[in-house]
């Protein structure tokens, strides 16, 4: 069995990597986050759950120490177990589960909150005093447990005047068995008192008033969150500005200044298209060399996995990510800067928390990591609420699961947006104009558009499923060629770039990440207005002048996204998916021109495709309603997003999107009713002794 970290270590690895499917593997229990697996066929099952403990709520999270305490050889071991549960709830459930014949396995969790568990005076002799029976050392046990934040959880049990004396000649194993049973019996008495008189046992958060907390900046308090949000927002705003400045300087220089200065005067116009493969293959070579010599940059799935498992993103991935993503975007790959900024700013948020403010609580560090991620997307999209929500939603498959960090993350997003836009001199305004004489801006939303939004959501979900299936086959193709190993990063990038260049040369609309190209695709504007690629008309002078060419743009944009990812280029696929969705939405408008406004068709399809892949229904709705300045389109966009989310719930594209281990019990769909009174009785038969010792 691997060595577990010290219980006072700064950051305990998370157990969120264990999914609900593991319950089907009876006889095996694994802890993620360690080298090796911890197997224990005797660990008690927790299939019986109940929600009637409203008087004794305590948020728990990710403590592998508890998982290792499967047999209690002393009162101290047992005390640690009790101190790391949400009051006695998990302990009671383990006792119940020992009777279960199915013997499926689940995990227990400890608190990363700083709390003290006390017993009120009423639980003692009425005046707050407690007697101690001299015949037993455990007549009044005081249980203390230091969790991952080095805070103390204390539990005091009520003395019992009927504490049993040890019979002469008792064997050591019998003595320990009786010892554990006595502790468990006394704790169950306190639990029963809690059921009858909820005020006897209560939770008290160790915090004072705002000014004292502001003076001490105590870990996890509101004043500390405000201060950290401001600092992280400023740091990430500056980082976003530097990244943005370098990226757009490179785009302007490579794709406009150089060709206009050296290519136009010296090359034959029929050869101008060769500038596209020249720049693309140069940049993809630099991407491969970055991976080989600077190390793995990571990607969006990796970022999400670090948030779940470690609560922070290692800083050693920042430099490779900066260079690899820059070269990928400058090379015309169909990925954008959103995912690199999330990784960079998330790492900066965790760095400020852990290294500068010396935070040790896993949940607090995770909150500061989310602040950085939210700040990056708020600054990039220019939508503080939508960008911040996106950072939290993208870590899970079904909504915002780290909801306790939402408010602070949005606040940090506002700060980061202010800093970034002020330094860059950019206004906060819509970036697309989808209106025309035939399709003016929506001033109201007809109710039937919500129903149409639902249907478009299913249409977009189908398109996303086709793309996901193609992409998985594409990744298998690269895997068979042994190109997914980082030592072959250059060859991998070249193979991916071959397909990207082939598509870009003939259909220039598919190049780059699509943020600015969406305006041209959605309105079927002329190719000469494409903002990044040069020459904008490519090899054959492609123009979107009919439904078939609109269909080609949508299809080949998805192909470009897949080969960009498979080729090992780094970036985000939020705007690329929206760009492809805009083309398919415009195609739908050709079919139903009199039934649905063009804005609704385009935005709903874009939202449905993005949500199916990224699982961000709320954030995507806000972003796609605000960027074109169409707030009245929110109802149909939201319906399309939700229907797409439901339709693709069993098609996880980002594998690292998992359920939080400390709330997955609330996601079960089967109810188990438990008769508490029949579980704990004050008897000492052999069955109960066996139950309490967890044999």
């Amino acid at each position: 069995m691997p060595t577990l970290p010290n219980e006072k270590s700064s950051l305990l690895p998370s157990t969120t990597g264990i999914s609900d499917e593991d319950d089907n593997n009876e006889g095996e229990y694994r802890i993620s986050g360690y080298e090796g697996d911890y197997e224990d066929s005797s660990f008690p099952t927790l299939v019986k759950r109940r929600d009637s403990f409203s008087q004794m709520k305590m948020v728990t999270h990710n403590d592998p120490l508890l998982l290792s305490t499967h047999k209690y050889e002393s009162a101290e071991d047992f005390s640690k177990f009790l101190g790391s549960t949400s009051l006695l709830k998990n302990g009671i459930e383990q006792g119940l589960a020992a009777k279960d014949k199915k013997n499926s396995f689940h995990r227990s969790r400890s608190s990363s909150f700083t709390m003290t568990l006390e017993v009120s005076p009423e639980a003692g002799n009425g005046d707050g005093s407690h007697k101690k029976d001299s015949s037993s050392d455990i007549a009044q046990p005081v249980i203390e447990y230091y969790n991952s934040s080095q805070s103390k959880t204390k539990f005091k049990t009520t003395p019992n005047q009927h504490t049993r004396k040890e019979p002469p000649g008792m064997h050591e194993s019998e003595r320990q068995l009786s010892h554990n049973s006595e502790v468990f019996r006394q704790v169950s008495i306190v639990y029963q008192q809690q059921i009858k008189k909820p005020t006897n046992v209560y939770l008290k958060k160790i915090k004072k008033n705002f000014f004292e907390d502001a003076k001490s900046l105590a870990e996890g308090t509101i004043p500390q969150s405000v201060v950290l949000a401001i600092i992280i927002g400023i740091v990430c705003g500056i980082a976003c500005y530097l990244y943005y400045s370098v990226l757009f300087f490179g785009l302007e220089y490579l794709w406009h200044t150089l060709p206009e200065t050296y290519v136009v005067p010296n090359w034959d116009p029929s050869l101008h298209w060769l500038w596209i493969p020249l720049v693309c293959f140069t940049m993809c070579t630099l991407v491969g060399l970055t991976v080989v010599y600077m190390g793995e940059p990571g990607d969006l799935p990796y970022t999400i996995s670090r948030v779940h498992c470690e609560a922070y993103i290692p800083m050693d991935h920042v430099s490779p990510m900066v260079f690899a993503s820059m070269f990928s975007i400058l090379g015309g790959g169909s990925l954008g800067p959103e995912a690199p900024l999330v990784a960079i700013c998330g790492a900066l948020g965790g760095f400020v928390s852990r290294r500068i403010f010396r935070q040790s609580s896993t949940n607090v560090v995770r909150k500061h990591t989310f602040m950085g991620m939210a700040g990056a997307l708020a600054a990039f999209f220019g939508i503080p609420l939508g960008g911040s929500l996106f950072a939290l939603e993208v870590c899970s498959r079904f909504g915002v699961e780290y909801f306790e960090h939402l408010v602070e993350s949005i606040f940090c997003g506002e700060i980061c947006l202010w800093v970034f836009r002020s330094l860059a001199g950019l206004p906060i305004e819509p970036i697309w104009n989808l209106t025309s004489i035939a399709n003016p801006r929506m001033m109201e939303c007809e109710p039937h558009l919500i129903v149409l939004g639902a249907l478009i959501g299913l249409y977009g979900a189908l398109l996303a499923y086709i793309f996901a299936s193609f992409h998985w086959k594409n990744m298998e193709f690269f895997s068979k060629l042994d190109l997914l190993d980082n030592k072959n990063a250059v060859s991998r990038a070249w193979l991916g770039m071959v397909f990207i260049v082939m598509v870009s040369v003939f259909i220039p609309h598919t190049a780059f990440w699509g943020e600015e190209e969406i305006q041209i695709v959605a309105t079927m504007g002329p190719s000469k207005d494409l903002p990044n690629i040069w020459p904008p008309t490519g090899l054959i002078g492609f123009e979107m002048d009919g439904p078939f060419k609109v269909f080609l743009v949508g299809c080949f944009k998805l192909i470009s996204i897949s080969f960009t990812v498979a080729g090992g280029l780094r970036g985000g696929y939020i705007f690329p998916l929206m760009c492809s969705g805009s083309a398919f939405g415009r195609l739908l408008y050709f079919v139903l021109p009199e039934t649905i406004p063009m804005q609704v068709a385009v935005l709903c399809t874009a939202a449905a495709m993005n949500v199916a892949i990224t699982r961000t229904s709320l954030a995507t709705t806000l972003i796609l309603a605000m960027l074109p300045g169409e707030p009245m389109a929110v109802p149909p966009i939201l319906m399309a997003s939700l229907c797409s989310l439901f339709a693709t719930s069993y098609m996880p594209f980002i594998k690292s999107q998992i359920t939080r281990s400390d709330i997955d019990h609330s996601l079960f769909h089967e109810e188990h009713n438990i008769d508490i009174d029949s579980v704990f009785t004050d008897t000492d038969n052999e069955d109960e002794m066996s139950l309490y010792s967890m044999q």
Side-chain angles (χ1 to χ4, degrees), residues 222-269:
I222 294 176
Q224 188 208 50
S225 296
V226 172
V227 171
L228 265 294
I230 293 174
I231 294 174
I232 293 173
I234 293 174
V235 170
C236 294
I238 295 173
C240 290
Y241 168 70
L242 294 175
Y243 188 96
Y244 171 88
S245 300
V246 174
L247 176 62
F248 279 86
F249 170 80
L251 287 171
E252 180 67 23
Y253 186 76
L254 282 176
W255 292 98
H256 295 286
T257 303
L258 282 181
E260 291 173 1
T261 303
Y262 298 103
V263 176
V264 172
N266 303 308
W267 291 22
D268 186 272

Side-chain angles (χ1 to χ4, degrees), residues 276 280 329 331-336 499-515 517-518 520-521 527 530-533 536 538 542 544 549-562 564 575-577 579-580 583:
I276 297 175
C280 290
I329 297 170
S334 289
L335 294 176
F499 291 92
I500 296 170
V501 168
M502 289 174 58
V503 174
S504 300
V505 165
F506 289 98
I507 308 177
H509 300 70
T510 61
F512 298 96
W513 69 97
E515 178 184 4
E517 286 78 7
I518 288 178
I520 309 301
V521 172
S527 297
L530 289 172
N532 294 315
I533 195 169
F542 181 86
M544 292 180 63
K549 290 187 176 180
V550 172
F551 174 75
L552 290 179
V553 170
C555 290
F556 282 100
K557 182 63 177 178
L558 292 179
I559 293 174
S560 294
I561 296 172
S562 179
T564 304
F575 273 126
L577 289 169
C579 184
S580 176

Side-chain angles (χ1 to χ4, degrees), residues 145-183:
Y145 170 72
Y146 292 85
N147 62 12
S148 60
S149 61
Q150 300 183 8
S151 59
K152 181 167 63 177
T153 301
K154 181 183 293 184
F155 189 88
K156 299 178 181 179
T157 63
T158 307
N160 191 313
Q161 58 182 352
H162 301 293
T163 302
R164 294 166 295 183
K165 296 184 179 180
E166 178 181 314
M170 177 178 286
H171 190 269
E172 180 63 25
S173 60
E174 295 176 348
R175 182 183 298 109
Q176 289 297 325
L177 189 62
S178 176
H179 199 61
N180 296 344
S181 176
E182 179 64 20
V183 174

Side-chain angles (χ1 to χ4, degrees), residues 60-79:
T60 61
H61 194 65
N62 300 338
D63 193 342
L65 177 64
L66 179 59
L67 296 177
S68 66
T69 316
H70 59 288
K71 292 184 178 179
Y72 312 108
E73 299 179 354
S74 66
E76 181 181 359
D77 290 342
F78 193 73
S79 298

